């Protein structure tokens, strides 16, 4: 059958009109009814309203208390090793110490200082000190510096280590369920000073999908046994802590439902420990204004601060190799002696 040009133009015009009417009908079908235009639906179910969301609220209150009568002591906080800490981070603890009559000093040094300058600087900082606080160092301790810290503890000085997972700056997707999670950014800087104390910080963070506080990373931890450092402490709340490995005593441990961010294994993990004159805690944010008075945190912090000022450090001969030799007659002779 032959179709002339006019008939073809007419058929195309009819086809275009049919298509346009069909598209218009479909587009308006969802909003036009026999009763007119429908109204925007509203959600009236009570359980869907924001005020009905049952978000747990952490118990908060109390102040850090330090038992008086220990005399005035000097606490040195290390900021010379690219430490991940600011004055504000430790302000509640610093305020409690100074209010009790103690002195808090910050040890700082040019990161480009020569090794002998670093050793001399740390020796000067620890001489006359009673306690030394190290928070997440970003620079390795020299072997001579680590030895000085060990000597300080052997001379009855007290040492506190605070370390925990850090935010990942690379923006990679970490953690369970594709959530952004923290990761321990430690290439051995912390181990360089904690290892001589038989203390190690694990990589990764801990979380609990069954028993948690405000979210799966905010978890309650409890003392596994009675000790001076956990007296009066029923429950401490930490935010994504890291595991602390120790040859000494575990002070706080997690529930058995807590999992490790890397192995996904559930277990009771230690997050605070003591080995002789050193205490290690797997959370750098414990003493911040935001967290210090949650649950029994302020009680535990008060106990730790009392531990720091409880020694009677004798540091006059710190770094004196000859004095060390005289003080330890059983020491094995060094090469060449």
């Amino acid at each position: 059958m032959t179709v002339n040009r006019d008939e073809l133009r007419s058929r195309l015009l009819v086809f275009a009109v049919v298509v346009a009417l069909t598209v218009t009908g479909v587009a308006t079908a969802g909003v036009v009814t026999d009763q007119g235009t429908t109204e925007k639906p509203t959600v009236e179910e009570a359980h869907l309203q924001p005020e009905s969301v049952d978000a747990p609220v952490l118990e908060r209150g109390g102040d850090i208390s330090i038992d008086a009568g220990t005399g005035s002591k000097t606490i040195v906080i290390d900021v010379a090793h690219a430490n991940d800490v600011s004055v504000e981070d430790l302000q509640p603890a610093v305020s409690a110490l100074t209010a009790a009559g103690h002195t808090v000093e910050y040890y700082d040094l040019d990161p480009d200082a020569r090794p002998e300058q670093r050793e001399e600087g740390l020796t000067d900082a620890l001489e006359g000190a009673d306690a030394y606080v190290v928070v997440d160092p970003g620079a390795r301790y020299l072997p001579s510096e680590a030895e000085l810290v060990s000597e300080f503890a052997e001379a009855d000085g007290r040492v506190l280590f605070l370390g925990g997972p850090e935010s990942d700056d690379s923006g990679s997707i970490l953690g369970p369920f594709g959530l952004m999670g923290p990761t321990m950014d430690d290439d051995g800087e912390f181990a360089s000073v904690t290892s001589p104390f038989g203390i190690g910080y694990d990589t990764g963070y801990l979380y609990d999908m069954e028993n948690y506080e405000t979210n799966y990373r905010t978890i309650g931890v409890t003392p596994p046994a009675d000790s001076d450092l956990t007296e009066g402490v029923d429950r401490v709340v930490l935010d994504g802590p890291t595991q602390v490995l120790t040859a000494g005593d575990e002070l706080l441990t997690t529930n058995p439902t807590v999992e490790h961010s890397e192995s996904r294994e559930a277990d009771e993990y230690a997050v605070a420990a003591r080995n002789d004159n050193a205490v290690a805690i797997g959370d750098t944010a414990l003493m911040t204004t935001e967290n210090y008075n949650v649950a029994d945190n302020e009680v535990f912090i008060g106990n730790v601060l009392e531990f720091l000022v409880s020694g009677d450090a004798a540091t006059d001969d710190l770094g004196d190799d000859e004095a060390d030799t005289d003080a330890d007659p059983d020491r094995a002779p060094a090469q060449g002696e």
Side-chain angles (χ1 to χ4, degrees), residues 148-159 197 276-278 318:
L148 275 172
V149 178
S150 296
E151 287 183 26
F152 175 73
E154 291 171 359
D156 206 23
R158 298 293 193 262
V159 180
F197 290 89
D276 293 330
N277 286 339
L318 201 64

Side-chain angles (χ1 to χ4, degrees), residues 179-331:
L179 299 175
M180 293 293 292
T183 182
M184 189 71 176
D185 184 19
D186 186 3
D187 293 325
E189 291 85 356
F190 217 175
S192 63
V193 65
T194 63
S195 292
F197 290 89
I199 292 172
Y201 279 80
D202 191 23
T203 57
Y205 64 97
L206 304 174
Y207 64 94
D208 195 334
M209 300 301 294
E210 298 183 32
N211 304 291
Y212 56 86
E213 303 298 335
T214 54
N215 62 64
Y216 72 101
R217 284 177 42 205
T218 308
I219 57 177
V221 296
T222 56
D226 295 334
S227 70
D228 293 342
L229 284 164
T230 57
E231 182 178 0
V233 176
D234 292 326
R235 184 174 62 100
V236 170
V237 173
L238 304 177
D239 188 14
T242 194
Q243 182 184 12
V244 175
L245 308 171
T246 180
D249 300 324
E250 297 179 350
L251 300 176
L252 296 172
T253 57
T254 69
N255 289 321
T257 54
V258 165
E259 299 178 52
H260 192 286
S261 64
E262 295 177 350
S263 67
R264 303 293 195 267
E265 293 183 0
D267 203 347
E268 294 182 17
Y269 295 94
V271 292
R274 175 184 180 179
N275 196 11
D276 293 330
N277 286 339
V279 166
I281 301 173
D283 183 4
T284 56
L286 172 65
M287 298 182 182
T288 61
T289 302
E290 182 181 358
N291 298 322
Y292 83 93
N293 62 348
V294 172
D296 294 326
N297 289 14
E298 78 280 3
V299 180
F300 179 62
I301 295 171
N303 293 344
V304 171
L305 298 184
E306 285 187 5
F307 163 80
L308 290 181
V309 298
S310 63
D312 188 16
T315 58
D316 292 342
D317 296 326
L318 201 64
D320 188 339
D321 294 336
E322 182 176 350
D324 294 341
T325 302
D326 295 340
D328 184 7
D330 296 329
R331 185 183 71 88

Side-chain angles (χ1 to χ4, degrees), residues 44-81:
E44 297 179 351
E45 285 75 6
H47 66 280
L48 295 179
Q49 302 308 310
E51 61 271 18
S52 299
V53 177
D54 185 19
V57 177
L58 289 174
E59 176 188 353
R60 183 184 297 275
D63 296 315
I64 300 173
S65 176
I66 302 175
D67 186 19
T70 58
S72 179
K73 300 294 180 67
T74 298
I75 298 90
V76 174
I77 299 174
D78 181 22
V79 292
H81 292 83

Side-chain angles (χ1 to χ4, degrees), residues 110-131:
D110 185 347
D112 297 325
R114 297 192 305 274
E116 57 269 27
Q117 291 176 315
R118 301 188 69 84
E119 183 177 351
E120 182 180 356
L122 185 56
T123 301
D124 291 342
L126 294 181
E127 284 183 344
D130 298 282

